Amino acid sequence: MAKNYKAINWNQVSDAIDKATWEKLTEQFWLDTRIPVSNDLGDWRTLDSDHQWLVGHVFGGLTLLDTVQSEQGMAALRKNVVTQHETAVLNNIQFMESVHAKSYSTIFSTLNTPEEIDEIFTWSDSEEFLQNKAVRIAGMYMDDSVDPLKKKVANVFLETFLFYSGFFTPLYYLGHNKLNNVAEIIKLILRDESVHGTYIGYKFQIGLKQLSEKKQQDMKDWMYNFLYELYDNEEKYTHLLYDQVGWTEEVLTFIRYNANKALMNLGQDPLFPDSAADVNPIVMNGISTSTANHDFFSQVGNGYRLGEVEAMEPGDYNIKDPNEK
Ligand SMILES: [Fe+2]
Ligand SMILES: [Fe+2]
């Protein structure tokens, strides 16, 4: 055991990305309890039972994935940090994953009956294709013999790819000016995930560059195979959720587009031909508009304006090879 324990010094930050990410994440802090979801009840009542089923169950699926992130994801990544500041950032992310997981319950308690909520959780805890992805990723997180870089890949695939079959529904409704408060919660989650995926992807790229060329190639081969495996399952999950409302093909385009973004976060070339132009423009609109200004903190007088923080873009981090002079 080491003789001394080292206090974290924020006045000496070796990786400026740690500090920038900490600042961004703390600036965009939010809580589900401040969003007036009950204002969406009027819209909710206009949906037929197939569409209500869809909304409830996509959020059931998202609850499960955010539970994995909050309980296992960040704990796994924290075992292989390079800097103490990275640990602090991961602590922030872990707490926000718990906020995300809880926020769907805020939506359920407003829109659904207690019987419906029970049914949604029974479904999430047992549905085959949903469980496949949660168990696959959580299994990697919990297995100490799995390469830490592969855990980062799993994390980015979950954050930037596997959530989007669920996000499609609230973004679609937002584009049709429905369920706007529900969508606001989802956009706040999306804004967080955007930073998370970029940050973990950045840390992955630093680690990857330190491997031999052969090992880098092996990692890339593994990564693309893993993505295919996840996509194969995601296709089935998407059919299960969306066939009854007829949106399946549009959702599949959207998730392929996001799979490419996950690869971009990891510094890799896209796999699928789908680009932003192929995605339903109503859904793209939902993604690109900034969040509404709920001005949560003015009541306590510290002047935060939540809505002013924009989502991260891939170019926000200029990733340099740490070995380069
Ligand atoms: Fe999350
Ligand atoms: Fe996240």
Side-chain angles (χ1 to χ4, degrees):
M1 206 164 160
K3 192 165 150 239
N4 297 325
Y5 204 95
K6 193 171 162 35
I8 184 167
N9 182 354
W10 281 95
N11 297 311
Q12 258 177 30
V13 177
S14 57
D15 186 342
I17 298 292
D18 291 337
K19 188 158 183 277
T21 305
W22 173 271
E23 284 166 359
K24 188 156 185 85
L25 288 173
T26 51
E27 263 168 37
Q28 66 185 43
F29 175 75
W30 62 280
L31 285 172
D32 52 297
T33 44
R34 308 290 185 102
I35 313 277
V37 180
S38 60
N39 290 347
D40 288 351
L41 274 169
D43 288 343
W44 175 249
R45 290 182 186 122
T46 68
L47 304 186
D48 65 23
S49 60
D50 280 350
H51 290 84
Q52 287 190 351
W53 184 93
L54 174 67
V55 172
H57 290 73
V58 297
F59 291 148
L62 292 171
T63 303
L64 184 72
L65 300 185
D66 269 314
T67 307
V68 169
Q69 286 299 75
S70 65
E71 293 182 350
Q72 303 298 340
M74 298 310 123
L77 298 189
R78 224 164 28 212
K79 289 182 184 164
N80 297 96
V81 294
V82 176
T83 69
Q84 288 181 289
H85 310 97
E86 186 177 349
T87 305
V89 172
L90 295 177
N91 288 344
N92 173 300
I93 293 177
Q94 177 167 288
F95 174 71
M96 287 315 293
E97 300 298 2
S98 290
V99 173
H100 298 172
K102 177 178 175 294
S103 66
Y104 307 112
S105 287
T106 298
I107 298 172
F108 294 144
S109 69
T110 311
L111 302 183
N112 297 101
T113 64
E115 293 74 27
E116 285 168 351
I117 296 172
D118 282 349
E119 189 278 325
I120 288 166
F121 278 93
T122 303
W123 183 90
S124 310
D125 294 347
S126 60
E127 201 296 309
E128 181 186 355
F129 303 121
L130 175 60
Q131 284 291 324
N132 279 349
K133 53 180 167 173
V135 169
R136 180 77 165 91
I137 304 264
M140 286 180 64
Y141 287 153
M142 291 187 280
D143 183 348
D144 285 335
S145 70
V146 170
D147 181 337
L149 279 181
K150 290 186 178 173
K151 292 185 188 191
K152 290 189 172 69
V153 173
N155 187 85
V156 172
F157 282 170
L158 184 59
E159 295 270 321
T160 314
F161 167 42
L162 296 177
F163 272 96
Y164 282 80
S165 51
F167 289 156
F168 184 93
T169 294
L171 293 172
Y172 177 93
Y173 280 118
L174 178 65
H176 290 88
N177 199 27
K178 281 199 170 146
L179 303 177
N180 287 326
N181 294 282
V182 168
E184 183 64 14
I185 289 187
I186 302 311
K187 283 166 64 77
L188 288 162
I189 293 175
L190 261 167
R191 190 178 64 172
D192 289 345
E193 303 306 6
S194 170
V195 182
H196 300 171
T198 315
Y199 179 72
I200 308 296
Y202 160 78
K203 292 288 181 182
F204 167 81
Q205 291 183 56
I206 290 182
L208 184 69
K209 281 175 182 151
Q210 285 160 353
L211 300 182
S212 68
E213 225 153 85
K214 161 89 175 71
K215 286 202 164 152
Q216 290 194 28
Q217 194 52 52
D218 290 349
M219 180 65 72
K220 286 178 191 183
D221 293 344
W222 173 83
M223 194 188 307
Y224 281 94
N225 282 331
F226 185 35
L227 187 61
Y228 273 122
E229 177 197 326
L230 293 172
Y231 180 76
D232 188 51
N233 183 73
E234 203 59 18
E235 245 186 325
K236 294 172 187 146
Y237 182 61
T238 302
H239 277 288
L240 174 82
L241 284 172
Y242 288 99
D243 278 358
Q244 59 179 346
V245 297
W247 301 351
T248 306
E249 289 312 315
E250 279 184 60
V251 178
L252 289 174
T253 303
F254 186 56
I255 66 175
R256 287 191 298 266
Y257 162 72
N258 284 290
N260 285 342
K261 291 198 88 169
L263 287 167
M264 256 168 57
N265 280 342
L266 295 163
Q268 309 303 315
D269 296 328
L271 174 65
F272 297 108
D274 311 77
S275 72
D278 299 311
V279 177
N280 182 340
I282 289 170
V283 171
M284 284 310 282
N285 255 342
I287 280 200
S288 59
T289 52
S290 63
T291 67
N293 186 354
H294 282 282
D295 196 8
F296 297 158
F297 295 95
S298 63
Q299 303 148 23
V300 291
N302 65 3
Y304 278 10
R305 289 286 187 278
L306 193 72
E308 289 170 7
V309 185
E310 299 294 327
M312 302 280 290
E313 294 297 328
D316 285 359
Y317 286 153
N318 193 3
I319 293 155
K320 293 202 187 79
D321 186 335
N323 301 316
E324 248 168 44
K325 290 278 143 52

Coordinates of all heavy atoms in Angstrom, one line a residue, residues 66 69 93 97 100 159 192-193 196, ligand 2:
D66 N -30.1 3.5 -18.4 CA -29.5 4.5 -17.5 C -29.2 3.9 -16.1 O -28.3 4.3 -15.4 CB -30.4 5.7 -17.3 CG -30.1 6.8 -18.3 OD1 -28.9 7.1 -18.5 OD2 -31.0 7.4 -19.0
Q69 N -25.8 2.3 -16.5 CA -24.8 3.4 -16.5 C -24.5 3.8 -15.1 O -23.4 4.0 -14.7 CB -25.2 4.5 -17.4 CG -25.1 4.3 -18.9 CD -23.7 3.9 -19.4 OE1 -23.2 2.8 -19.1 NE2 -23.0 4.9 -20.0
I93 N -20.7 12.3 -13.8 CA -21.5 11.5 -14.8 C -22.3 10.5 -14.1 O -23.5 10.3 -14.4 CB -20.6 10.9 -15.8 CG1 -19.9 12.0 -16.7 CG2 -21.4 10.0 -16.7 CD1 -18.9 11.5 -17.7
E97 N -26.4 10.0 -14.3 CA -27.0 8.8 -14.8 C -28.1 8.4 -13.9 O -29.2 7.9 -14.3 CB -26.0 7.7 -15.0 CG -24.9 8.0 -16.0 CD -25.3 8.2 -17.4 OE1 -26.5 8.3 -17.7 OE2 -24.4 8.5 -18.2
H100 N -31.0 10.7 -14.7 CA -31.6 10.3 -15.9 C -32.6 9.1 -15.6 O -33.7 9.1 -16.0 CB -30.6 9.8 -16.9 CG -29.7 10.8 -17.4 ND1 -28.6 10.6 -18.2 CD2 -29.6 12.2 -17.1 CE1 -27.9 11.7 -18.4 NE2 -28.5 12.7 -17.8
E159 N -24.0 4.9 -24.9 CA -24.4 6.3 -24.8 C -24.8 6.9 -26.1 O -25.8 7.7 -26.1 CB -23.2 7.2 -24.3 CG -22.7 6.8 -22.9 CD -23.4 7.7 -21.9 OE1 -23.6 8.9 -22.1 OE2 -23.7 7.2 -20.8
D192 N -26.7 15.8 -22.0 CA -25.7 15.2 -21.1 C -24.9 14.1 -21.8 O -23.7 14.0 -21.8 CB -26.3 14.6 -19.9 CG -26.8 15.6 -18.9 OD1 -26.4 16.8 -19.0 OD2 -27.6 15.3 -18.0
E193 N -25.7 13.2 -22.5 CA -25.1 12.1 -23.2 C -24.1 12.5 -24.2 O -23.1 11.8 -24.5 CB -26.2 11.2 -23.8 CG -27.3 10.6 -22.9 CD -26.7 9.9 -21.7 OE1 -25.5 9.8 -21.4 OE2 -27.6 9.3 -20.9
H196 N -21.0 13.2 -22.4 CA -20.5 11.9 -21.9 C -19.8 11.1 -23.0 O -18.6 10.7 -22.9 CB -21.6 11.0 -21.3 CG -22.3 11.6 -20.1 ND1 -23.4 11.1 -19.6 CD2 -22.0 12.8 -19.4 CE1 -23.8 11.9 -18.6 NE2 -23.0 12.9 -18.5
Ligands
FE2 FE -24.4 9.2 -20.0

